[in-house]
Amino acid sequence: MTQHDTEVRQAGVRRTVWRSVAALIGMFAFAFALVPLYDVFCRVTGINGKVDTTAQALVHDEVDESRLVTVQFITRNGSGLPWRLDVETRQVRLHPGQTSEVNFTFSNQSSGESWGRAVPSVSPSTATRHVRKSSCFCFEEQQLQAGERVELPLVFQLARDLPPEVNTVTLVYTLYPVEGRTQSLQAGVKRDEGGEA
Amino acid sequence: MAPKVPPQPTLEQSTTAAEAGHGHAHEAPPKGIMRWLLTTNHKEIGSMYLIFSLIMFFIGGIFALVVRLELFQPGLQFVNPEFFNQMTTMHGLIMVFAAVMPAFTGLANWMIPLQIGAPDMALPRLNNFSFWLLPVAFGLLLSTLFMPGGGPNFGWTFYAPLSTTYAPPSTTFFILSLHIAGISSILGAINIVATILNMRAPGMRMMDMPLFVWTWLITAFLLIAVMPVLAGVITMMLMDINFGTSFFDASGGGDPVLFQHLFWFFGHPEVYIMILPSFGIVSAIIPAFARKRLFGYASMVYATAAIAILSFMVWGHHMFVVGMPLAGQLFFMYATMLIAVPTGVKVFNWVTTLFRGSISFEPPMLFALAFVVLFTIGGFSGLMLAIAPADFQYHDTYFVVAHFHYVLVPGAIFSIMAATYFWLPKWTGHYPNVRLAQWHFWLSVISVNLTFFPMHFSGLAGMPRRIPDYALQFADFNLVSSIGAFMFGISQLLFVAVIVMCVRGGKKAPAAAWGEYADDLEWSVPSPAPLHTFETPPTFQRPAH
């Protein structure tokens, strides 16, 4: 091989390597970009039960008397918050367009104050965009003193354009501790889990 | 800038090089271990990769046998469930990342420069670095088994939050070791792309390259595209575990399902990374022993590229049961089934190559033929799993285990063994012992079916994977599987015996060891291949057929 050929070859190798490195960095960044993209995608389409956590105006259209839809409420205690979340009724039946109010009870069962949040989820996901909440405890974080009980309302309606195949909508609220505000509690929980595993 | 390569180790080889008349003044080689630590020779590095992956194949195999031993009978006999989970996880991780992938990289190192007429890889020192990252990575991974709380126990797919919130404390080491292994693969892939695109012999066009080179080029692109995504996912896990972020933690606004999307966006191309080079190997071996040209060379290249492109669009078929909208399920179902088309083209081409061929059954051919048949069975069970409504039943059962073991063991691993038998004459200068190789083949092919075929039935009947105990009605299937697994494991000692004997001696092989239809450039250099080949580029002669 002549000197010239070798130089051409070396330049080619350098070019390939730089392009590969650029592709690598691009794909690494793409992986992280997928996190917000996924979130936006789920919110826009309502997939995965992700709900808009801002208040929406109720629409005062006619109530669709021809349909009755069952709305179920499920409350779950998530990781490591010593609270109970109860709901006054496990299910209601209502017409699309009808406004309904349901009370939820938060009670702190520990001897210290703590911060928590109830994270909402809707199932089936096709119904997500048709659940309109004008007031919900899930919009903000709660602080409960030791042993405190708080009753908070959920005001919502099902939009009239709810897909006809949906007969039951399930609203799930999962309690989670709020990161940062209950740092000492969190650290304790994490340590326990590490030891058990 | 000539690559620094250590000189010829044996007299025989140095005379070959001297006769060829490229009198490079090579420096004296470091002796002993330093020679292997510092080597930049693609053949030595290729051998190290292959030996490393063989060792890891046995370690991963021992883990599998622990699993099979426990599943020999219903009930808990030998290990506790926590350790059982570590064994299934480590078996998967070691086999995927430390056995199959390095074996293919080793074959690429050895054969790609020889097949394209290049003197070495494009970046020889980087090559050395990417190999030596591997023992570090997997030394670290194996060491987690001895840490408090044990090694990774969340399955090789390490779904969050099993691998974050509920993971053992050693998970940070697991993440680090996977990072190191990933960097090794990426560097290897860059090197291979740079070599193939820039170092071909004058006159060799892309469409003249042997299919092993083509399939590896496409594999390397897949690696460059998806290994950074894996690195991103495990970095997010690392931050969730140690720095209080919530990428995959619902309490902080994250989403565990996001983990599955990201993982399988890496994971599905990864399974093609483990099979595309096999296609190249089989496409070299079948024509050699059918004594015909490969049927449909160009369609093989396009089919490989099509499979690679489709592999980015089908990750959702691993997640049909997470609660995907109907449109998503339909899309992933049809996209997955579409992959059967280019794969079918390949199988058709192999069968057509065999048709009216003058076939002989040397050891590499035996393994290649078993590959075609058994890989196709794995492909069919894959099609069954692609059907979304059927997958609801099959998901996480032994049917899935049977499927991916059929494509990986008699698929990827048989092709690696076929490649080893095919190129051993080039590596060592001797033919492998035919009788022993035949024993190895028949024991392997019988035991592999004994192990994995019953899993189809136990899976369809509902036996879940990754569970150390099972209901009584699965006892017979599991008994057969366990017997097959031990038979398969022990048979592999024959493989080691054949290799060791072949290195030590045996029937001498000529340069073109497998006759006139194995006529790629590697068969134009002497057997064994001297340490330095093609320092003056060969002139590439396009076959006249």
Side-chain angles (χ1 to χ4, degrees):
Chain A
M1 251 165 91
T2 64
Q3 190 66 30
H4 177 71
D5 288 341
T6 316
E7 278 168 17
V8 169
R9 204 172 248 202
Q10 286 304 325
V13 169
R14 259 197 301 279
R15 195 168 54 237
T16 313
V17 169
W18 283 120
R19 283 178 188 170
S20 308
V21 170
L24 283 175
I25 295 170
M27 287 307 291
F28 190 70
F30 176 65
F32 280 87
L34 279 174
V35 178
L37 285 176
Y38 172 80
D39 213 41
V40 169
F41 183 78
C42 287
R43 270 182 213 290
V44 169
T45 55
I47 292 172
N48 216 6
K50 287 208 180 206
V51 190
D52 217 346
T53 48
T54 51
Q56 287 168 291
L58 296 177
V59 186
H60 294 286
D61 281 345
E62 250 173 82
V63 174
D64 181 359
E65 302 277 357
S66 65
R67 290 178 71 188
L68 262 181
V69 179
T70 307
V71 182
Q72 301 178 322
F73 304 99
I74 295 177
T75 57
R76 298 193 309 172
N77 204 343
S79 43
L81 188 66
W83 289 14
R84 262 184 78 88
L85 177 56
D86 293 299
V87 60
E88 61 174 350
T89 172
R90 282 285 157 199
Q91 77 177 42
V92 294
R93 283 172 71 73
L94 46 95
H95 302 292
Q98 188 184 343
T99 305
S100 176
E101 182 172 335
V102 178
N103 280 320
F104 285 71
T105 313
F106 288 72
S107 48
N108 185 349
Q109 299 180 313
S110 76
S111 53
E113 65 152 8
S114 46
W115 282 85
R117 167 196 270 157
V119 176
S121 175
V122 178
S123 179
S125 57
T126 42
T128 309
R129 279 181 299 167
H130 308 284
V131 178
R132 307 178 63 89
K133 298 177 183 177
S134 70
S135 162
C136 180
F137 48 85
C138 55
F139 296 156
E140 53 210 18
E141 296 157 2
Q142 269 79 35
Q143 186 190 21
L144 290 186
Q145 303 300 324
E148 190 182 353
R149 277 171 72 89
V150 177
E151 200 162 275
L152 294 164
L154 164 70
V155 182
F156 74 101
Q157 69 178 176
L158 298 174
R160 288 199 55 187
D161 53 358
L162 184 73
E165 71 273 14
V166 178
N167 297 316
T168 306
V169 178
T170 308
L171 305 183
V172 183
Y173 295 93
T174 310
L175 274 178
Y176 285 110
V178 175
E179 296 275 344
R181 299 201 181 180
T182 50
Q183 201 60 59
S184 56
L185 176 77
Q186 269 295 82
V189 169
K190 282 241 162 96
R191 237 195 333 273
D192 284 353
E193 280 164 1
E196 277 168 36
Chain B
M1 191 185 85
K4 279 204 187 101
V5 278
Q8 297 75 16
T10 67
L11 201 74
E12 185 190 8
Q13 286 170 346
S14 57
T15 45
T16 349
E19 275 165 12
H22 340 115
H24 268 242
H26 294 293
E27 295 166 27
K31 294 274 182 268
I33 182 79
M34 291 311 280
R35 171 178 162 189
W36 297 100
L37 276 174
L38 301 178
T39 181
T40 54
N41 182 287
H42 73 101
K43 300 185 184 78
E44 292 184 335
I45 293 174
S47 299
M48 289 197 294
Y49 263 109
L50 289 167
I51 293 166
F52 174 82
S53 85
L54 187 62
I55 294 168
M56 287 295 154
F57 178 58
F58 276 92
I59 293 177
I62 289 167
F63 294 162
L65 292 184
V66 173
V67 169
R68 278 318 325 168
L69 187 70
E70 179 56 51
L71 293 173
F72 189 73
Q73 280 184 348
L76 293 176
Q77 276 84 226
F78 297 99
V79 295
N80 60 36
E82 290 78 17
F83 189 69
F84 181 90
N85 287 346
Q86 292 173 35
M87 287 292 100
T88 53
T89 306
M90 286 297 249
H91 164 69
L93 290 170
I94 293 287
M95 286 304 194
V96 168
F97 293 104
V100 174
M101 289 172 68
F104 282 131
T105 315
L107 291 171
N109 262 297
W110 245 106
M111 301 321 298
I112 287 177
L114 283 178
Q115 290 196 317
I116 64 173
D120 204 309
M121 299 294 281
L123 306 151
R125 290 185 208 181
L126 193 73
N127 205 13
N128 171 294
F129 182 58
S130 47
F131 171 74
W132 282 108
L133 285 176
L134 285 180
V136 177
F138 293 101
L140 198 62
L141 184 62
L142 290 171
S143 74
T144 60
L145 284 174
F146 304 103
M147 292 180 184
N153 56 7
F154 28 68
W156 86 274
T157 52
F158 49 97
Y159 277 11
L162 277 180
S163 60
T164 52
T165 316
Y166 305 103
S170 66
T171 306
T172 306
F173 289 91
F174 153 79
I175 291 172
L176 183 60
S177 79
L178 221 52
H179 261 308
I180 298 171
I183 291 169
S184 164
S185 303
I186 287 170
L187 296 180
I190 293 181
N191 210 342
I192 287 167
V193 173
T195 306
I196 297 173
L197 293 185
N198 301 295
M199 309 277 283
R200 294 192 307 279
M204 183 187 267
R205 301 167 311 184
M206 294 291 275
M207 288 308 274
D208 295 325
M209 299 191 312
L211 270 170
F212 180 67
V213 179
W214 253 118
T215 51
W216 240 113
L217 178 67
I218 292 166
T219 304
F221 278 123
L222 285 181
L223 279 167
I224 291 172
V226 299
M227 289 312 274
V229 177
L230 173 71
V233 178
I234 57 180
T235 306
M236 290 175 207
M237 275 172 60
L238 185 77
M239 294 200 282
D240 270 11
I241 294 171
N242 296 307
F243 306 120
T245 57
S246 348
F247 285 102
F248 309 127
D249 183 2
S251 68
D255 193 333
V257 177
L258 172 67
F259 176 89
Q260 298 184 26
H261 281 290
L262 287 174
F263 178 82
W264 287 114
F265 186 79
F266 148 78
H268 200 78
E270 166 72 16
V271 305
Y272 291 107
I273 287 166
M274 292 190 284
I275 203 68
L276 293 185
S278 306
F279 295 161
I281 291 164
V282 171
S283 303
I285 291 174
I286 286 182
F289 299 100
R291 290 169 185 78
K292 275 174 70 187
R293 289 284 135 205
L294 181 73
F295 182 85
Y297 169 90
S299 67
M300 284 294 207
V301 173
Y302 295 130
T304 311
I307 292 172
I309 291 164
L310 284 173
S311 75
F312 285 101
M313 303 175 200
V314 297
W315 78 91
H317 67 220
H318 296 272
M319 316 168 43
F320 281 141
V321 299
V322 296
M324 195 183 281
L326 186 64
Q329 294 187 23
L330 285 172
F331 171 77
F332 285 122
M333 178 168 114
Y334 289 126
T336 305
M337 289 177 164
L338 207 55
I339 294 185
V341 176
T343 315
V345 167
K346 285 181 165 297
V347 174
F348 177 84
N349 285 347
W350 291 323
V351 172
T352 314
T353 307
L354 289 167
F355 183 66
R356 294 192 161 179
S358 170
I359 303 173
S360 59
F361 297 93
E362 279 86 349
M365 184 63 160
L366 288 174
F367 277 95
L369 291 175
F371 171 93
V372 174
V373 175
L374 298 176
F375 175 79
T376 305
I377 293 179
F380 281 140
S381 58
L383 272 177
M384 290 171 70
L385 286 162
I387 303 167
D391 181 74
F392 290 173
Q393 184 193 340
Y394 306 154
H395 187 87
D396 256 347
T397 67
Y398 263 80
F399 191 80
V400 180
V401 178
H403 158 67
F404 69 72
H405 280 95
Y406 258 88
V407 289
L408 281 174
V409 185
I413 289 184
F414 271 24
S415 82
I416 293 166
M417 288 170 178
T420 308
Y421 284 126
F422 188 57
W423 283 314
L424 263 177
K426 188 52 60 190
W427 300 339
T428 66
H430 309 119
Y431 285 105
N433 182 316
V434 175
R435 186 48 58 91
L436 265 186
Q438 282 170 342
W439 270 100
H440 172 227
F441 170 75
W442 285 109
L443 285 172
S444 295
V445 81
I446 291 168
S447 59
V448 93
N449 284 294
L450 218 52
T451 311
F452 298 116
F453 211 82
M455 291 183 183
H456 290 113
F457 304 123
S458 51
L460 286 178
M463 179 169 164
R465 58 192 282 217
R466 294 173 175 152
I467 309 279
D469 191 5
Y470 50 85
L472 284 177
Q473 70 264 32
F474 305 126
D476 293 347
F477 290 135
N478 279 283
L479 181 88
V480 175
S481 279
S482 287
I483 291 171
F486 277 88
M487 210 173 125
F488 184 79
I490 292 162
S491 316
Q492 301 321 308
L493 295 173
L494 282 176
F495 185 49
V496 179
V498 175
I499 294 171
V500 170
M501 284 166 62
C502 189
V503 171
R504 293 214 171 150
K507 196 178 141 203
K508 288 256 177 294
W514 299 114
E516 58 174 318
Y517 286 91
D519 61 351
D520 291 328
L521 278 177
E522 80 264 31
W523 303 110
S524 68
V525 303
S527 299
L531 201 56
H532 299 285
T533 41
F534 297 134
E535 292 193 314
T536 311
T539 30
F540 175 72
Q541 295 291 325
R542 200 157 291 127
H545 317 271

